[in-house]
Amino acid sequence: MAFFAPQERLRRLLPRQVSLKRPTAAAVPLSKEYRAWRQQFVCDRIRLAIWISMALLAILALLNLGLILPALNRSGEQDPSLNSDRILFSLCILAAQELGLLLNLLFLRRRGALQHSHLAFLGFSAAVLLVPQVQHMLIGETALDLFDWIVFFMLQAVLIPVKWRWHLIVQMSLLSLTLFSVLGLDFDPPSLPDPMQGPIYTFVVVLAACIFFVADLGVYLYERLLIREFELRQQLQLFLHAVSHDLRNPVTGTLMLLKNLHRDDQGQITLSQPVINQVIDSQERQLQLIHSLLEVHSQEIRGIQLQRQPLPLAPLVQAIAQDLQPLAYQVQATVTSLVPSDLPPAMADPLQLRRVYENMVANALQYNRPGVCIHLNAQVRGNGLYCSVSDNGQGIGQAESRQIFERYSRGVNRRQPMHLGLGLYICRQIIEAHGGRIGVQSEPGQGTTFWFTLPLAV
């Protein structure tokens, strides 16, 4: 790695700092993009579930029709185990279910159905489960089809693994309607002896609650994975955009400079010192971006290599503040060291600790309005040092604070282009490698305080 003079090295450090903003997709777990995707996903899956259910119900209807003829024995008398009235009643239930599913399918074809995907979900579940229960209640019975319930809810959890609350609403509605039929209306399930009703009801409720819990838990965990995958894809897209943006700018600038060069009569090209400096800056910026990526990858594989030693903090922080004064002067800012000179030494790597301070201060200079005041402070807390970098700038929100130390966490600043978002992530890696902690305290309009802890030298 090349070493530059302090001012020149710090001047090159600023453009690659982390923004105090986060990508939209990561700022809110349920972003607008994810909600729109989920609405489309739910509607598509409900259509699939409806077609599957209609096909299964049609098969059941055909099987019931096929049982009417075998219901008669050889003597022409009806088999007591089979009843044509019950078969016709089952066919009526199947027809009502098919009609309910068809209505839901037509609802999904309406304009604006995506915004009411929850109604489509509830309508689909009601058509399959609640319609049979209501029809049984109309003839004074209670439908107790535990096997069908388990199959349906498991199938629903597999096909539509989002919004576990929707699944819970449907399950509780079915159980409530069943309990109301049994306890409120005193309707008994057909062909269930009286002595067995109490234990059977208890068994059904307990088993159904367990199955419903498993299904809802699976939906909840799977949707968490979906949200995380969606966030990672959004971050990857933003990262690729930032890399292409930052690498394209220096290449474009160098190319424009080279195209605008003029040759003399002998074919010689004369380059002025400012032109050479611009070309050098562009190429060094590309190398810095590539170096940041390689450094993060290397740290994740091998970890950060520290050269720790007893380190007096006050002289180091004072030197950092002085080195940053030229940058602060450009934006009419001030950087002040308030670290007491009598602090006990920290056990730290001076080079890595300097990088932490430079990243934090450069971040505050870049993403605040001109005239910001930055204070570097430290004090003993417990068995370590509590170090802080505070400013009186515009501050950041709570949502941004939660992700600011994550890799590739950055946003768009009006005065600066997009960047890779690795600076504060590297700061966190360095501090954690020292055995310390790092964090941020901020409120919009109230300034920002970055803090970290370091162990004391024994």
Side-chain angles (χ1 to χ4, degrees):
M1 177 179 177
F3 291 90
F4 307 96
Q7 294 182 11
E8 184 67 15
R9 177 166 56 84
L10 292 175
R11 185 178 66 82
R12 293 185 172 90
L13 176 67
L14 263 180
R16 67 186 190 98
Q17 297 312 300
V18 179
S19 166
L20 298 183
K21 301 294 183 180
R22 290 167 48 198
T24 303
V28 181
L30 297 181
S31 61
K32 292 182 179 180
E33 292 81 4
Y34 176 77
R35 292 178 185 273
W37 172 86
R38 186 178 62 187
Q39 290 173 344
Q40 185 64 54
F41 174 80
V42 169
C43 291
D44 292 341
R45 289 303 182 92
I46 290 178
R47 289 189 185 93
L48 176 61
I50 288 176
W51 285 113
I52 292 176
S53 301
M54 292 180 68
L56 293 177
L57 293 176
I59 293 174
L60 290 177
L62 293 176
L63 291 176
N64 278 283
L65 286 173
L67 290 177
I68 294 178
L69 293 179
L72 300 177
N73 56 24
R74 294 182 179 179
S75 62
E77 298 179 356
Q78 191 175 19
D79 189 339
S81 62
L82 298 173
N83 190 307
S84 58
D85 292 337
R86 298 298 303 182
I87 294 177
L88 292 176
F89 178 66
S90 298
L91 290 176
C92 291
I93 293 178
L94 294 174
Q97 289 176 304
E98 292 278 10
L99 179 60
L101 293 174
L102 183 60
L103 292 176
N104 276 275
L105 199 60
L106 294 176
F107 173 79
L108 289 174
R109 297 175 63 89
R110 293 178 61 253
R111 180 179 300 178
L114 289 178
Q115 285 69 37
H116 300 88
S117 56
H118 61 289
L119 297 179
F121 180 90
L122 297 177
F124 162 68
S125 302
V128 177
L129 294 178
L130 300 185
V131 167
Q133 188 66 265
V134 172
Q135 288 184 287
H136 277 86
M137 291 172 62
L138 292 177
I139 63 172
E141 296 179 352
T142 297
L144 205 62
D145 299 324
L146 182 60
F147 177 77
D148 293 342
W149 296 353
I150 293 175
V151 171
F152 175 80
F153 285 123
M154 287 300 181
L155 181 63
Q156 192 177 57
V158 171
L159 291 178
I160 315 173
V162 294
K163 294 295 292 184
W164 65 272
R165 292 180 180 84
W166 296 357
H167 295 258
L168 181 62
I169 290 174
V170 174
Q171 295 158 7
M172 292 300 100
S173 299
L174 177 62
L175 283 181
S176 300
L177 188 60
T178 303
L179 292 176
F180 174 73
S181 177
V182 172
L183 303 178
L185 301 179
D186 199 23
F187 292 159
D188 297 329
S191 305
L192 186 63
D194 292 340
M196 297 179 59
Q197 290 181 6
I200 290 296
Y201 291 151
T202 303
F203 171 77
V204 168
V205 172
V206 173
L207 183 60
C210 294
I211 297 299
F212 297 166
F213 173 77
V214 171
D216 294 341
L217 180 61
V219 171
Y220 172 79
L221 295 176
Y222 187 76
E223 187 172 17
R224 294 301 97 187
L225 291 176
L226 288 177
I227 293 174
R228 183 57 179 163
E229 180 184 2
F230 191 87
E231 291 176 353
L232 291 175
R233 288 183 179 180
Q234 293 291 98
Q235 291 178 9
L236 178 60
Q237 292 177 1
L238 290 172
F239 166 70
L240 293 176
H241 177 68
V243 171
S244 62
H245 183 281
D246 279 3
L247 290 180
R248 183 176 65 246
N249 283 345
V251 173
T252 302
T254 302
L255 184 61
M256 292 177 61
L257 287 174
L258 296 176
K259 286 184 176 181
N260 292 329
L261 293 178
H262 298 286
R263 294 181 176 87
D264 56 21
D265 296 337
Q266 287 77 30
Q268 300 294 327
I269 298 178
T270 302
L271 298 178
S272 62
Q273 189 61 40
V275 172
I276 295 177
N277 291 339
Q278 290 181 19
V279 174
I280 293 175
D281 290 343
S282 297
Q283 302 309 308
E284 286 182 348
R285 175 167 172 73
Q286 294 183 67
L287 289 177
Q288 289 168 2
L289 293 173
I290 295 172
H291 174 73
S292 297
L293 294 173
L294 294 177
E295 182 181 17
V296 170
H297 178 70
S298 176
Q299 290 174 1
E300 291 180 346
I301 295 178
R302 298 194 302 267
I304 297 178
Q305 304 298 320
L306 298 178
Q307 303 294 328
R308 286 189 281 190
Q309 62 188 54
L311 179 65
L313 199 59
L316 175 66
V317 175
Q318 184 64 38
I320 293 173
Q322 291 178 357
D323 291 341
L324 288 168
Q325 287 302 328
L327 294 178
Y329 179 77
Q330 294 178 5
V331 291
Q332 296 86 46
T334 58
V335 180
T336 307
S337 174
L338 303 177
V339 178
S341 58
D342 58 349
L343 276 182
M347 183 59 68
D349 184 324
L351 178 61
Q352 298 290 357
L353 189 57
R354 172 180 279 270
R355 295 181 63 197
V356 172
Y357 273 107
E358 288 175 352
N359 273 283
M360 290 184 174
V361 174
N363 217 45
L365 291 175
Q366 182 179 0
Y367 291 99
N368 281 302
R369 298 181 180 90
V372 65
C373 296
I374 302 173
H375 300 290
L376 313 181
N377 207 341
Q379 57 182 302
V380 177
R381 285 193 182 180
N383 298 324
L385 291 180
Y386 179 87
C387 309
S388 62
V389 177
S390 304
D391 65 66
N392 61 347
Q394 59 191 12
I396 56 178
Q398 183 178 4
E400 290 85 353
S401 300
R402 287 195 297 265
Q403 296 291 329
I404 198 169
F405 293 101
E406 297 297 325
R407 183 171 47 179
Y408 309 134
S409 176
R410 75 266 173 261
V412 179
N413 183 277
R414 293 183 179 180
R415 297 184 293 111
Q416 298 290 342
M418 293 184 66
H419 303 293
L420 298 185
L422 296 174
L424 292 180
Y425 173 77
I426 293 176
C427 289
R428 189 188 72 180
Q429 298 295 96
I430 293 174
I431 295 301
E432 291 179 351
H434 280 84
R437 297 180 298 115
I438 191 170
V440 61
Q441 297 175 349
S442 181
E443 292 183 7
Q446 302 297 322
T448 302
T449 297
F450 287 98
W451 61 267
F452 58 90
T453 61
L454 294 171
L456 289 172
V458 180

